[in-house]
Amino acid sequence: MPNRDEAFELLKEYNGDALVTHGLAVEGTMRYFAKKYDGDEETWGIVGLLHDLDYEKYPEEHCIKTQEIMQKHGYSEEIIRAIMSHGYGICTDIEPISDMEKTLYAVDELTGLITACALVRPSKSVMDLEVKSVKKKFKTKSFAAGASREVIQKGADMLGIELSELMGEVILAMRAIAPELGLDMKE
Ligand SMILES: [Fe+2]
Ligand SMILES: [Fe+2]
């Protein structure tokens, strides 16, 4: 099976900066949650990194193309299934079942919302972003409208945790990799 660096090369082969950064955000968050759920960090990380592998080139075949590409590269069924399940009810009918799958489903859109929340701060950073302000923006549907509030809420429900707790954890996860995401304090 390809390792993390090979996975990162594959991601860059298919995607430009925006989706590469999104992949890094979800990777870091997945690794953070792997520690909480006693999962394998490398596996959870690769799932996060590659979950939108096909999205730039094949948006109409999202998840389906990723399955094809990843099978060709020798990724495990566990990893491929997890990635397919983040499109549950949208582009696949594969339900998130494992902790790894539910976590991916819950954090994918939320990392996008949190990034948007950070970028409108004077600091443009996640380091001084608090749950309170994410919650407020969550309720403002026109803000970062692409980040599906319904999916985020459904993800929290699947994991059986409160939305504010999920937000707090994802903020902490993203702070740990803020420089890679360009969301650290600039001065
Ligand atoms: Fe996706
Ligand atoms: Fe995504």
Side-chain angles (χ1 to χ4, degrees), residues 55-100:
Y55 198 62
E56 189 163 308
K57 287 196 164 51
Y58 309 99
E60 302 303 319
E61 296 162 273
H62 187 36
C63 296
I64 312 301
K65 268 284 173 189
T66 294
Q67 176 179 40
E68 200 181 299
I69 298 162
M70 290 184 75
Q71 276 171 347
K72 233 172 25 210
H73 282 81
Y75 286 92
S76 70
E77 279 310 308
E78 182 197 14
I79 286 181
I80 294 170
R81 188 195 191 278
I83 286 177
M84 300 284 285
S85 75
H86 94 272
Y88 179 56
I90 300 159
C91 50
T92 76
D93 55 4
I94 297 168
E95 194 179 352
I97 292 172
S98 67
D99 288 337
M100 178 168 74

mmCIF file of all heavy atoms in Angstrom, residues 55-100:
data_model
loop_
_atom_site.group_PDB
_atom_site.id
_atom_site.type_symbol
_atom_site.label_atom_id
_atom_site.label_comp_id
_atom_site.label_asym_id
_atom_site.label_seq_id
_atom_site.Cartn_x
_atom_site.Cartn_y
_atom_site.Cartn_z
ATOM 1 N N TYR A 55 -12.164 15.370 -7.181
ATOM 2 C CA TYR A 55 -13.158 16.447 -7.268
ATOM 3 C C TYR A 55 -12.825 17.538 -8.284
ATOM 4 O O TYR A 55 -13.728 18.091 -8.919
ATOM 5 C CB TYR A 55 -13.402 17.061 -5.887
ATOM 6 C CG TYR A 55 -14.694 17.835 -5.845
ATOM 7 C CD1 TYR A 55 -15.910 17.179 -6.074
ATOM 8 C CD2 TYR A 55 -14.715 19.201 -5.622
ATOM 9 C CE1 TYR A 55 -17.101 17.873 -6.072
ATOM 10 C CE2 TYR A 55 -15.911 19.903 -5.619
ATOM 11 C CZ TYR A 55 -17.099 19.239 -5.845
ATOM 12 O OH TYR A 55 -18.285 19.925 -5.848
ATOM 13 N N GLU A 56 -11.553 17.839 -8.473
ATOM 14 C CA GLU A 56 -11.211 18.901 -9.413
ATOM 15 C C GLU A 56 -11.407 18.451 -10.868
ATOM 16 O O GLU A 56 -11.962 19.169 -11.687
ATOM 17 C CB GLU A 56 -9.762 19.349 -9.198
ATOM 18 C CG GLU A 56 -9.417 20.588 -9.994
ATOM 19 C CD GLU A 56 -8.156 21.277 -9.486
ATOM 20 O OE1 GLU A 56 -8.071 21.561 -8.280
ATOM 21 O OE2 GLU A 56 -7.254 21.490 -10.298
ATOM 22 N N LYS A 57 -10.983 17.228 -11.148
ATOM 23 C CA LYS A 57 -11.049 16.756 -12.537
ATOM 24 C C LYS A 57 -12.380 16.089 -12.889
ATOM 25 O O LYS A 57 -12.794 16.115 -14.044
ATOM 26 C CB LYS A 57 -9.906 15.765 -12.801
ATOM 27 C CG LYS A 57 -8.539 16.432 -12.906
ATOM 28 C CD LYS A 57 -7.542 15.468 -13.551
ATOM 29 C CE LYS A 57 -6.270 16.109 -14.058
ATOM 30 N NZ LYS A 57 -5.554 16.964 -13.133
ATOM 31 N N TYR A 58 -13.019 15.465 -11.915
ATOM 32 C CA TYR A 58 -14.252 14.710 -12.211
ATOM 33 C C TYR A 58 -15.370 15.030 -11.220
ATOM 34 O O TYR A 58 -15.888 14.116 -10.558
ATOM 35 C CB TYR A 58 -13.972 13.199 -12.171
ATOM 36 C CG TYR A 58 -12.793 12.759 -12.994
ATOM 37 C CD1 TYR A 58 -11.558 12.528 -12.393
ATOM 38 C CD2 TYR A 58 -12.917 12.556 -14.373
ATOM 39 C CE1 TYR A 58 -10.452 12.123 -13.150
ATOM 40 C CE2 TYR A 58 -11.817 12.151 -15.132
ATOM 41 C CZ TYR A 58 -10.591 11.940 -14.513
ATOM 42 O OH TYR A 58 -9.509 11.545 -15.252
ATOM 43 N N PRO A 59 -15.763 16.301 -11.124
ATOM 44 C CA PRO A 59 -16.790 16.666 -10.122
ATOM 45 C C PRO A 59 -18.107 15.915 -10.318
ATOM 46 O O PRO A 59 -18.827 15.665 -9.349
ATOM 47 C CB PRO A 59 -16.961 18.175 -10.317
ATOM 48 C CG PRO A 59 -16.389 18.490 -11.651
ATOM 49 C CD PRO A 59 -15.330 17.474 -11.896
ATOM 50 N N GLU A 60 -18.398 15.559 -11.559
ATOM 51 C CA GLU A 60 -19.662 14.851 -11.829
ATOM 52 C C GLU A 60 -19.601 13.381 -11.398
ATOM 53 O O GLU A 60 -20.628 12.719 -11.300
ATOM 54 C CB GLU A 60 -20.011 14.904 -13.326
ATOM 55 C CG GLU A 60 -20.131 16.306 -13.912
ATOM 56 C CD GLU A 60 -21.158 17.159 -13.184
ATOM 57 O OE1 GLU A 60 -22.228 16.616 -12.845
ATOM 58 O OE2 GLU A 60 -20.873 18.345 -12.928
ATOM 59 N N GLU A 61 -18.391 12.889 -11.225
ATOM 60 C CA GLU A 61 -18.239 11.472 -10.846
ATOM 61 C C GLU A 61 -17.560 11.367 -9.497
ATOM 62 O O GLU A 61 -16.783 10.441 -9.242
ATOM 63 C CB GLU A 61 -17.407 10.738 -11.901
ATOM 64 C CG GLU A 61 -18.045 10.666 -13.267
ATOM 65 C CD GLU A 61 -17.005 10.346 -14.339
ATOM 66 O OE1 GLU A 61 -16.377 11.297 -14.851
ATOM 67 O OE2 GLU A 61 -16.815 9.165 -14.632
ATOM 68 N N HIS A 62 -17.838 12.355 -8.621
ATOM 69 C CA HIS A 62 -17.175 12.428 -7.315
ATOM 70 C C HIS A 62 -17.338 11.128 -6.536
ATOM 71 O O HIS A 62 -18.418 10.547 -6.516
ATOM 72 C CB HIS A 62 -17.750 13.610 -6.536
ATOM 73 C CG HIS A 62 -17.016 13.877 -5.249
ATOM 74 N ND1 HIS A 62 -15.661 13.713 -5.117
ATOM 75 C CD2 HIS A 62 -17.453 14.301 -4.038
ATOM 76 C CE1 HIS A 62 -15.307 14.023 -3.880
ATOM 77 N NE2 HIS A 62 -16.373 14.374 -3.203
ATOM 78 N N CYS A 63 -16.270 10.689 -5.951
ATOM 79 C CA CYS A 63 -16.149 9.440 -5.173
ATOM 80 C C CYS A 63 -15.978 8.213 -6.091
ATOM 81 O O CYS A 63 -15.171 7.334 -5.798
ATOM 82 C CB CYS A 63 -17.316 9.200 -4.211
ATOM 83 S SG CYS A 63 -17.427 10.443 -2.916
ATOM 84 N N ILE A 64 -16.737 8.176 -7.167
ATOM 85 C CA ILE A 64 -16.683 7.016 -8.060
ATOM 86 C C ILE A 64 -15.311 6.942 -8.740
ATOM 87 O O ILE A 64 -14.682 5.882 -8.799
ATOM 88 C CB ILE A 64 -17.800 7.101 -9.141
ATOM 89 C CG1 ILE A 64 -19.161 7.443 -8.510
ATOM 90 C CG2 ILE A 64 -17.856 5.831 -9.979
ATOM 91 C CD1 ILE A 64 -19.662 6.482 -7.467
ATOM 92 N N LYS A 65 -14.851 8.093 -9.236
ATOM 93 C CA LYS A 65 -13.533 8.147 -9.891
ATOM 94 C C LYS A 65 -12.421 7.889 -8.878
ATOM 95 O O LYS A 65 -11.428 7.234 -9.180
ATOM 96 C CB LYS A 65 -13.325 9.513 -10.560
ATOM 97 C CG LYS A 65 -13.760 9.529 -12.004
ATOM 98 C CD LYS A 65 -12.728 8.818 -12.893
ATOM 99 C CE LYS A 65 -13.277 8.703 -14.299
ATOM 100 N NZ LYS A 65 -12.432 7.844 -15.171
ATOM 101 N N THR A 66 -12.593 8.421 -7.676
ATOM 102 C CA THR A 66 -11.575 8.200 -6.638
ATOM 103 C C THR A 66 -11.401 6.707 -6.377
ATOM 104 O O THR A 66 -10.284 6.208 -6.273
ATOM 105 C CB THR A 66 -11.974 8.927 -5.325
ATOM 106 O OG1 THR A 66 -11.951 10.332 -5.563
ATOM 107 C CG2 THR A 66 -10.998 8.614 -4.205
ATOM 108 N N GLN A 67 -12.507 6.007 -6.303
ATOM 109 C CA GLN A 67 -12.450 4.558 -6.086
ATOM 110 C C GLN A 67 -11.608 3.893 -7.176
ATOM 111 O O GLN A 67 -10.720 3.080 -6.897
ATOM 112 C CB GLN A 67 -13.863 3.981 -6.099
ATOM 113 C CG GLN A 67 -13.897 2.465 -5.974
ATOM 114 C CD GLN A 67 -15.315 1.918 -5.974
ATOM 115 O OE1 GLN A 67 -16.178 2.382 -6.720
ATOM 116 N NE2 GLN A 67 -15.551 0.947 -5.126
ATOM 117 N N GLU A 68 -11.876 4.285 -8.423
ATOM 118 C CA GLU A 68 -11.169 3.706 -9.567
ATOM 119 C C GLU A 68 -9.649 3.991 -9.486
ATOM 120 O O GLU A 68 -8.831 3.076 -9.618
ATOM 121 C CB GLU A 68 -11.760 4.367 -10.818
ATOM 122 C CG GLU A 68 -11.554 3.654 -12.115
ATOM 123 C CD GLU A 68 -12.186 4.491 -13.245
ATOM 124 O OE1 GLU A 68 -13.419 4.723 -13.212
ATOM 125 O OE2 GLU A 68 -11.434 4.944 -14.123
ATOM 126 N N ILE A 69 -9.317 5.261 -9.240
ATOM 127 C CA ILE A 69 -7.903 5.654 -9.197
ATOM 128 C C ILE A 69 -7.190 4.957 -8.039
ATOM 129 O O ILE A 69 -6.078 4.439 -8.182
ATOM 130 C CB ILE A 69 -7.766 7.191 -9.032
ATOM 131 C CG1 ILE A 69 -8.392 7.932 -10.218
ATOM 132 C CG2 ILE A 69 -6.293 7.593 -8.881
ATOM 133 C CD1 ILE A 69 -8.684 9.417 -9.952
ATOM 134 N N MET A 70 -7.845 4.913 -6.895
ATOM 135 C CA MET A 70 -7.189 4.352 -5.710
ATOM 136 C C MET A 70 -7.046 2.834 -5.794
ATOM 137 O O MET A 70 -6.074 2.271 -5.305
ATOM 138 C CB MET A 70 -7.937 4.782 -4.449
ATOM 139 C CG MET A 70 -7.743 6.276 -4.187
ATOM 140 S SD MET A 70 -8.490 6.849 -2.672
ATOM 141 C CE MET A 70 -7.341 6.187 -1.445
ATOM 142 N N GLN A 71 -8.009 2.187 -6.423
ATOM 143 C CA GLN A 71 -7.871 0.739 -6.632
ATOM 144 C C GLN A 71 -6.652 0.451 -7.511
ATOM 145 O O GLN A 71 -5.880 -0.457 -7.244
ATOM 146 C CB GLN A 71 -9.139 0.158 -7.259
ATOM 147 C CG GLN A 71 -10.204 -0.160 -6.213
ATOM 148 C CD GLN A 71 -11.562 -0.525 -6.811
ATOM 149 O OE1 GLN A 71 -11.803 -0.322 -8.002
ATOM 150 N NE2 GLN A 71 -12.449 -1.033 -5.970
ATOM 151 N N LYS A 72 -6.502 1.282 -8.537
ATOM 152 C CA LYS A 72 -5.361 1.118 -9.444
ATOM 153 C C LYS A 72 -4.023 1.299 -8.722
ATOM 154 O O LYS A 72 -3.033 0.672 -9.068
ATOM 155 C CB LYS A 72 -5.473 2.147 -10.586
ATOM 156 C CG LYS A 72 -5.387 1.500 -11.941
ATOM 157 C CD LYS A 72 -5.659 2.352 -13.161
ATOM 158 C CE LYS A 72 -5.451 3.829 -13.100
ATOM 159 N NZ LYS A 72 -6.347 4.576 -13.998
ATOM 160 N N HIS A 73 -4.030 2.164 -7.711
ATOM 161 C CA HIS A 73 -2.801 2.417 -6.963
ATOM 162 C C HIS A 73 -2.621 1.484 -5.762
ATOM 163 O O HIS A 73 -1.666 1.649 -5.001
ATOM 164 C CB HIS A 73 -2.748 3.881 -6.509
ATOM 165 C CG HIS A 73 -2.346 4.830 -7.602
ATOM 166 N ND1 HIS A 73 -3.236 5.295 -8.553
ATOM 167 C CD2 HIS A 73 -1.142 5.373 -7.921
ATOM 168 C CE1 HIS A 73 -2.594 6.101 -9.391
ATOM 169 N NE2 HIS A 73 -1.334 6.155 -9.036
ATOM 170 N N GLY A 74 -3.524 0.555 -5.595
ATOM 171 C CA GLY A 74 -3.339 -0.456 -4.560
ATOM 172 C C GLY A 74 -3.740 -0.068 -3.155
ATOM 173 O O GLY A 74 -3.238 -0.643 -2.176
ATOM 174 N N TYR A 75 -4.658 0.875 -3.004
ATOM 175 C CA TYR A 75 -5.154 1.225 -1.668
ATOM 176 C C TYR A 75 -6.113 0.159 -1.157
ATOM 177 O O TYR A 75 -6.790 -0.514 -1.942
ATOM 178 C CB TYR A 75 -5.832 2.599 -1.686
ATOM 179 C CG TYR A 75 -4.829 3.726 -1.776
ATOM 180 C CD1 TYR A 75 -4.447 4.231 -3.014
ATOM 181 C CD2 TYR A 75 -4.245 4.250 -0.627
ATOM 182 C CE1 TYR A 75 -3.503 5.254 -3.101
ATOM 183 C CE2 TYR A 75 -3.301 5.267 -0.711
ATOM 184 C CZ TYR A 75 -2.934 5.765 -1.951
ATOM 185 O OH TYR A 75 -1.995 6.762 -2.035
ATOM 186 N N SER A 76 -6.179 0.038 0.167
ATOM 187 C CA SER A 76 -7.017 -1.001 0.776
ATOM 188 C C SER A 76 -8.504 -0.663 0.622
ATOM 189 O O SER A 76 -8.884 0.500 0.491
ATOM 190 C CB SER A 76 -6.689 -1.139 2.267
ATOM 191 O OG SER A 76 -7.141 0.001 2.968
ATOM 192 N N GLU A 77 -9.308 -1.707 0.689
ATOM 193 C CA GLU A 77 -10.765 -1.536 0.623
ATOM 194 C C GLU A 77 -11.269 -0.713 1.804
ATOM 195 O O GLU A 77 -12.236 0.035 1.694
ATOM 196 C CB GLU A 77 -11.474 -2.893 0.569
ATOM 197 C CG GLU A 77 -11.492 -3.524 -0.819
ATOM 198 C CD GLU A 77 -11.988 -2.554 -1.928
ATOM 199 O OE1 GLU A 77 -13.068 -1.947 -1.777
ATOM 200 O OE2 GLU A 77 -11.268 -2.402 -2.933
ATOM 201 N N GLU A 78 -10.599 -0.855 2.948
ATOM 202 C CA GLU A 78 -11.001 -0.103 4.145
ATOM 203 C C GLU A 78 -10.895 1.411 3.870
ATOM 204 O O GLU A 78 -11.816 2.182 4.192
ATOM 205 C CB GLU A 78 -10.081 -0.480 5.316
ATOM 206 C CG GLU A 78 -10.457 0.211 6.625
ATOM 207 C CD GLU A 78 -9.339 0.179 7.666
ATOM 208 O OE1 GLU A 78 -8.180 -0.130 7.317
ATOM 209 O OE2 GLU A 78 -9.645 0.486 8.833
ATOM 210 N N ILE A 79 -9.784 1.807 3.278
ATOM 211 C CA ILE A 79 -9.561 3.225 2.978
ATOM 212 C C ILE A 79 -10.533 3.707 1.893
ATOM 213 O O ILE A 79 -11.138 4.773 2.010
ATOM 214 C CB ILE A 79 -8.082 3.464 2.561
ATOM 215 C CG1 ILE A 79 -7.195 3.374 3.797
ATOM 216 C CG2 ILE A 79 -7.902 4.794 1.827
ATOM 217 C CD1 ILE A 79 -5.709 3.609 3.546
ATOM 218 N N ILE A 80 -10.697 2.908 0.853
ATOM 219 C CA ILE A 80 -11.574 3.312 -0.252
ATOM 220 C C ILE A 80 -13.033 3.409 0.225
ATOM 221 O O ILE A 80 -13.731 4.371 -0.078
ATOM 222 C CB ILE A 80 -11.422 2.352 -1.451
ATOM 223 C CG1 ILE A 80 -10.005 2.480 -2.047
ATOM 224 C CG2 ILE A 80 -12.477 2.642 -2.522
ATOM 225 C CD1 ILE A 80 -9.634 1.443 -3.084
ATOM 226 N N ARG A 81 -13.462 2.440 1.012
ATOM 227 C CA ARG A 81 -14.848 2.484 1.511
ATOM 228 C C ARG A 81 -15.088 3.736 2.354
ATOM 229 O O ARG A 81 -16.122 4.400 2.230
ATOM 230 C CB ARG A 81 -15.174 1.233 2.349
ATOM 231 C CG ARG A 81 -16.657 1.187 2.697
ATOM 232 C CD ARG A 81 -17.038 0.226 3.788
ATOM 233 N NE ARG A 81 -18.499 0.104 3.813
ATOM 234 C CZ ARG A 81 -19.327 0.973 4.418
ATOM 235 N NH1 ARG A 81 -18.851 2.026 5.049
ATOM 236 N NH2 ARG A 81 -20.631 0.785 4.368
ATOM 237 N N ALA A 82 -14.110 4.028 3.198
ATOM 238 C CA ALA A 82 -14.247 5.211 4.068
ATOM 239 C C ALA A 82 -14.405 6.471 3.219
ATOM 240 O O ALA A 82 -15.251 7.327 3.504
ATOM 241 C CB ALA A 82 -13.036 5.333 4.988
ATOM 242 N N ILE A 83 -13.602 6.580 2.180
ATOM 243 C CA ILE A 83 -13.677 7.765 1.319
ATOM 244 C C ILE A 83 -15.027 7.820 0.594
ATOM 245 O O ILE A 83 -15.673 8.873 0.536
ATOM 246 C CB ILE A 83 -12.486 7.783 0.339
ATOM 247 C CG1 ILE A 83 -11.215 8.179 1.109
ATOM 248 C CG2 ILE A 83 -12.750 8.727 -0.837
ATOM 249 C CD1 ILE A 83 -9.938 8.172 0.310
ATOM 250 N N MET A 84 -15.475 6.687 0.075
ATOM 251 C CA MET A 84 -16.768 6.644 -0.613
ATOM 252 C C MET A 84 -17.897 7.095 0.321
ATOM 253 O O MET A 84 -18.862 7.736 -0.108
ATOM 254 C CB MET A 84 -17.082 5.215 -1.083
ATOM 255 C CG MET A 84 -16.080 4.615 -2.047
ATOM 256 S SD MET A 84 -16.224 5.254 -3.713
ATOM 257 C CE MET A 84 -17.711 4.410 -4.262
ATOM 258 N N SER A 85 -17.780 6.752 1.596
ATOM 259 C CA SER A 85 -18.884 7.013 2.527
ATOM 260 C C SER A 85 -19.044 8.508 2.853
ATOM 261 O O SER A 85 -20.073 8.897 3.396
ATOM 262 C CB SER A 85 -18.716 6.195 3.811
ATOM 263 O OG SER A 85 -17.712 6.746 4.636
ATOM 264 N N HIS A 86 -18.045 9.337 2.513
ATOM 265 C CA HIS A 86 -18.253 10.773 2.798
ATOM 266 C C HIS A 86 -19.237 11.388 1.798
ATOM 267 O O HIS A 86 -19.747 12.484 2.024
ATOM 268 C CB HIS A 86 -16.922 11.551 2.855
ATOM 269 C CG HIS A 86 -16.493 12.210 1.580
ATOM 270 N ND1 HIS A 86 -15.732 11.574 0.620
ATOM 271 C CD2 HIS A 86 -16.726 13.451 1.085
ATOM 272 C CE1 HIS A 86 -15.512 12.401 -0.386
ATOM 273 N NE2 HIS A 86 -16.110 13.542 -0.141
ATOM 274 N N GLY A 87 -19.534 10.660 0.722
ATOM 275 C CA GLY A 87 -20.531 11.133 -0.235
ATOM 276 C C GLY A 87 -21.892 10.507 -0.014
ATOM 277 O O GLY A 87 -22.765 10.543 -0.885
ATOM 278 N N TYR A 88 -22.086 9.945 1.180
ATOM 279 C CA TYR A 88 -23.348 9.249 1.488
ATOM 280 C C TYR A 88 -24.560 10.162 1.296
ATOM 281 O O TYR A 88 -24.615 11.269 1.843
ATOM 282 C CB TYR A 88 -23.322 8.740 2.935
ATOM 283 C CG TYR A 88 -24.576 8.027 3.377
ATOM 284 C CD1 TYR A 88 -25.051 6.922 2.666
ATOM 285 C CD2 TYR A 88 -25.282 8.443 4.501
ATOM 286 C CE1 TYR A 88 -26.196 6.258 3.074
ATOM 287 C CE2 TYR A 88 -26.435 7.777 4.916
ATOM 288 C CZ TYR A 88 -26.885 6.693 4.194
ATOM 289 O OH TYR A 88 -28.018 6.023 4.587
ATOM 290 N N GLY A 89 -25.506 9.674 0.487
ATOM 291 C CA GLY A 89 -26.726 10.442 0.261
ATOM 292 C C GLY A 89 -26.541 11.538 -0.779
ATOM 293 O O GLY A 89 -27.490 12.225 -1.133
ATOM 294 N N ILE A 90 -25.297 11.729 -1.254
ATOM 295 C CA ILE A 90 -25.053 12.773 -2.253
ATOM 296 C C ILE A 90 -24.564 12.141 -3.557
ATOM 297 O O ILE A 90 -25.175 12.286 -4.596
ATOM 298 C CB ILE A 90 -24.039 13.824 -1.729
ATOM 299 C CG1 ILE A 90 -24.592 14.477 -0.445
ATOM 300 C CG2 ILE A 90 -23.752 14.876 -2.798
ATOM 301 C CD1 ILE A 90 -23.545 15.123 0.411
ATOM 302 N N CYS A 91 -23.465 11.393 -3.479
ATOM 303 C CA CYS A 91 -22.965 10.736 -4.693
ATOM 304 C C CYS A 91 -22.698 9.246 -4.494
ATOM 305 O O CYS A 91 -22.285 8.564 -5.438
ATOM 306 C CB CYS A 91 -21.736 11.458 -5.234
ATOM 307 S SG CYS A 91 -20.481 11.770 -3.989
ATOM 308 N N THR A 92 -22.897 8.739 -3.292
ATOM 309 C CA THR A 92 -22.829 7.291 -3.076
ATOM 310 C C THR A 92 -23.955 6.883 -2.116
ATOM 311 O O THR A 92 -24.584 7.739 -1.494
ATOM 312 C CB THR A 92 -21.491 6.828 -2.417
ATOM 313 O OG1 THR A 92 -21.515 7.146 -1.016
ATOM 314 C CG2 THR A 92 -20.281 7.477 -3.070
ATOM 315 N N ASP A 93 -24.185 5.579 -2.017
ATOM 316 C CA ASP A 93 -25.160 5.112 -1.021
ATOM 317 C C ASP A 93 -24.444 4.289 0.055
ATOM 318 O O ASP A 93 -25.032 3.409 0.680
ATOM 319 C CB ASP A 93 -26.295 4.317 -1.693
ATOM 320 C CG ASP A 93 -25.770 3.174 -2.536
ATOM 321 O OD1 ASP A 93 -24.524 2.947 -2.536
ATOM 322 O OD2 ASP A 93 -26.580 2.494 -3.193
ATOM 323 N N ILE A 94 -23.168 4.622 0.251
ATOM 324 C CA ILE A 94 -22.371 3.916 1.264
ATOM 325 C C ILE A 94 -22.413 4.693 2.573
ATOM 326 O O ILE A 94 -21.913 5.813 2.671
ATOM 327 C CB ILE A 94 -20.926 3.706 0.758
ATOM 328 C CG1 ILE A 94 -20.971 2.799 -0.481
ATOM 329 C CG2 ILE A 94 -20.051 3.106 1.849
ATOM 330 C CD1 ILE A 94 -19.681 2.740 -1.247
ATOM 331 N N GLU A 95 -23.045 4.088 3.559
ATOM 332 C CA GLU A 95 -23.271 4.769 4.826
ATOM 333 C C GLU A 95 -22.024 4.753 5.714
ATOM 334 O O GLU A 95 -21.379 3.717 5.843
ATOM 335 C CB GLU A 95 -24.419 4.068 5.557
ATOM 336 C CG GLU A 95 -24.948 4.875 6.699
ATOM 337 C CD GLU A 95 -26.122 4.181 7.404
ATOM 338 O OE1 GLU A 95 -26.599 3.145 6.895
ATOM 339 O OE2 GLU A 95 -26.527 4.691 8.462
ATOM 340 N N PRO A 96 -21.685 5.875 6.328
ATOM 341 C CA PRO A 96 -20.568 5.865 7.275
ATOM 342 C C PRO A 96 -20.909 4.990 8.487
ATOM 343 O O PRO A 96 -21.930 5.209 9.140
ATOM 344 C CB PRO A 96 -20.436 7.334 7.696
ATOM 345 C CG PRO A 96 -21.168 8.111 6.657
ATOM 346 C CD PRO A 96 -22.262 7.217 6.168
ATOM 347 N N ILE A 97 -20.080 3.992 8.750
ATOM 348 C CA ILE A 97 -20.368 3.054 9.836
ATOM 349 C C ILE A 97 -19.272 3.081 10.905
ATOM 350 O O ILE A 97 -19.557 3.185 12.089
ATOM 351 C CB ILE A 97 -20.573 1.627 9.287
ATOM 352 C CG1 ILE A 97 -21.873 1.585 8.459
ATOM 353 C CG2 ILE A 97 -20.650 0.599 10.432
ATOM 354 C CD1 ILE A 97 -22.102 0.301 7.720
ATOM 355 N N SER A 98 -18.021 2.982 10.478
ATOM 356 C CA SER A 98 -16.926 2.951 11.463
ATOM 357 C C SER A 98 -16.693 4.354 12.036
ATOM 358 O O SER A 98 -17.143 5.355 11.474
ATOM 359 C CB SER A 98 -15.645 2.454 10.793
ATOM 360 O OG SER A 98 -15.194 3.408 9.838
ATOM 361 N N ASP A 99 -15.956 4.424 13.141
ATOM 362 C CA ASP A 99 -15.605 5.729 13.726
ATOM 363 C C ASP A 99 -14.852 6.581 12.708
ATOM 364 O O ASP A 99 -15.069 7.788 12.616
ATOM 365 C CB ASP A 99 -14.723 5.539 14.968
ATOM 366 C CG ASP A 99 -15.497 4.993 16.153
ATOM 367 O OD1 ASP A 99 -16.732 5.159 16.191
ATOM 368 O OD2 ASP A 99 -14.871 4.376 17.044
ATOM 369 N N MET A 100 -13.965 5.941 11.952
ATOM 370 C CA MET A 100 -13.180 6.673 10.944
ATOM 371 C C MET A 100 -14.102 7.278 9.886
ATOM 372 O O MET A 100 -13.929 8.437 9.485
ATOM 373 C CB MET A 100 -12.163 5.717 10.295
ATOM 374 C CG MET A 100 -11.323 6.356 9.202
ATOM 375 S SD MET A 100 -9.914 5.330 8.699
ATOM 376 C CE MET A 100 -10.735 4.037 7.757
#
